[in-house]
Amino acid sequence: MTKKTSQSASPTVESSTVEQGAYSVNGFCVAHNIGKGLFYELLKQGNGPDTIKLGRRRIITKQASARWREKMEQQTAQLASA
């Protein structure tokens, strides 16, 4: 007996072949190895990345992510030299 398999109308694209222009909060946290609690604490302190609100969703562009990493690296360097 053989099973029939249905194929979707749209082709499957591997996520590694498509570069996303923005992160979800969860995606940003995973990419930067931080927890969501820390993410929201950083936002509250004014040390989080720039975000865009789309309805109830919050996204972080790749450019905002890069600026945030640079800012964090500068703060770390300042603390290390103090």
Side-chain angles (χ1 to χ4, degrees), residues 1-61:
M1 210 178 241
T2 61
K3 283 187 173 181
K4 286 187 177 182
T5 58
S6 63
Q7 293 183 358
S8 62
S10 61
T12 303
V13 179
E14 289 185 34
S15 61
S16 62
T17 62
V18 177
E19 173 124 5
Q20 293 181 343
Y23 292 108
S24 64
V25 170
N26 190 55
F28 178 86
C29 291
V30 169
H32 294 88
N33 199 27
I34 64 172
K36 286 170 86 173
L38 177 58
F39 173 84
Y40 286 110
E41 185 63 30
L42 289 169
L43 282 183
K44 188 171 143 183
Q45 295 171 356
N47 289 322
D50 295 329
T51 64
I52 299 169
K53 290 278 290 203
L54 295 174
R56 294 176 53 189
R57 292 189 64 203
R58 187 181 295 264
I59 63 169
I60 303 96
T61 65

